[in-house]
Amino acid sequence: MITKHILLKRILPSILVTTIVLVFIGYNFANKKPNTAQQIQVNFNLEDMNGNQFNQKHLEQKPSLLFFGFTHCPDVCPASLQLLTNLIEDLGPDADKINYYFITADPERDTTKVLKRYLSSFDQRILGITGKQDELKKLYNALDIYIQKIDLGKGNYTIDHTASFMVINKDAEKVGTMMHEGFSKFIVIDNFGKIQTPKNDVITNLKKLLKL
């Protein structure tokens, strides 16, 4: 027969552990910063569309906006790049405080020459990045970027990919994302998924995350 004394002796340690864990979680939640940054630390070696090396150090020079796409993309990529071009213009003098990168999700077709020709239709400050698949995957994984090649038959294919811009501060930390809303405007979201307000003031919200 299990007495009350034995029962308490058995379950008391579990109760104490559970209490300690809950207190620890509560403490961390209460003391958590409003937008915890995600540090990017990965040893990758890629190439920009001008034939120059691109690596981790380039993300530590100044804040960056990264978009992952491909030149054969029929709609999302050109629409996003056009919105970025408009945003760069709206930023005025502050635009030069940020680096802008279009990183290919399709290195098989997106050579440096292809990227350079494709991006000539958008703001000249947007720099195309390509390289070996294994090196690109390091960056994809570091930023949780979804890339999936879809076979269309007869040797054709397309790419499913994350369609948001990664917002990176000057310390190579991801502090949020920027995504288009109905292909007409951007919204800025922090790392907790909170839409920054006022929602329509993209410039202010972006500068706030990047501390410009």
Side-chain angles (χ1 to χ4, degrees):
M1 179 178 178
I2 300 176
T3 66
K4 185 182 296 185
H5 176 72
I6 295 174
L7 184 62
L8 284 173
K9 190 174 181 181
R10 288 183 181 181
I11 67 173
L12 190 57
S14 296
I15 293 173
L16 288 172
V17 170
T18 302
T19 302
I20 291 169
V21 170
L22 288 173
V23 169
F24 178 78
I25 292 172
Y27 174 82
N28 278 281
F29 182 80
N31 289 277
K32 206 167 191 179
K33 293 180 180 179
N35 184 42
T36 301
Q38 176 186 339
Q39 182 70 50
I40 304 167
Q41 291 182 323
V42 58
N43 182 26
F44 62 89
N45 288 290
L46 299 171
E47 184 180 13
D48 71 26
M49 64 187 190
N50 298 315
N52 301 313
Q53 187 180 39
F54 178 75
N55 54 37
Q56 171 82 21
K57 291 181 181 179
H58 292 85
L59 299 180
E60 298 168 352
Q61 294 175 349
K62 58 183 180 179
S64 305
L65 293 179
L66 278 62
F67 185 80
F68 296 79
F70 63 115
T71 61
H72 283 70
C73 181
D75 41 37
V76 173
C77 296
S80 297
L81 289 170
Q82 186 55 57
L83 281 176
L84 178 60
T85 294
N86 298 341
L87 176 66
I88 293 172
E89 183 178 349
D90 292 341
L91 277 165
D94 285 329
D96 292 328
K97 297 178 181 177
I98 305 172
N99 285 327
Y100 311 90
Y101 299 112
F102 177 77
I103 302 172
T104 185
D106 184 16
E108 185 178 338
R109 294 182 293 196
D110 289 345
T111 63
T112 54
K113 290 182 178 179
V114 169
L115 282 171
K116 196 166 188 175
R117 183 171 62 248
Y118 178 74
L119 291 171
S120 65
S121 299
F122 306 102
D123 191 280
Q124 62 180 2
R125 284 164 284 194
I126 304 172
L127 192 63
I129 304 295
T130 189
K132 295 180 180 179
Q133 185 70 51
D134 289 345
E135 294 297 311
L136 284 162
K137 279 184 177 180
K138 293 178 183 179
L139 193 52
Y140 300 161
N141 293 337
L143 287 165
D144 300 318
I145 301 298
Y146 172 77
I147 304 288
Q148 182 65 49
K149 186 176 181 179
I150 307 297
D151 183 16
L152 298 177
K154 297 183 179 180
N156 297 318
Y157 66 88
T158 189
I159 306 287
D160 277 353
H161 61 93
T162 299
S164 302
F165 286 80
M166 302 296 110
V167 181
I168 314 296
N169 67 17
K170 62 180 178 60
D171 298 316
E173 296 172 329
K174 176 179 171 287
V175 292
T177 57
M178 188 173 70
M179 59 187 297
H180 61 75
E181 190 175 43
F183 293 108
S184 61
K185 59 184 177 181
F186 281 129
I187 56 173
V188 179
I189 305 171
D190 70 15
N191 279 349
F192 289 125
K194 181 181 178 182
I195 296 176
Q196 301 301 284
T197 56
K199 182 179 176 181
N200 293 327
D201 194 349
V202 177
I203 301 294
T204 298
N205 294 330
L206 183 61
K207 289 169 69 174
K208 181 173 63 176
L209 280 187
L210 293 177
K211 297 181 179 178
L212 294 181

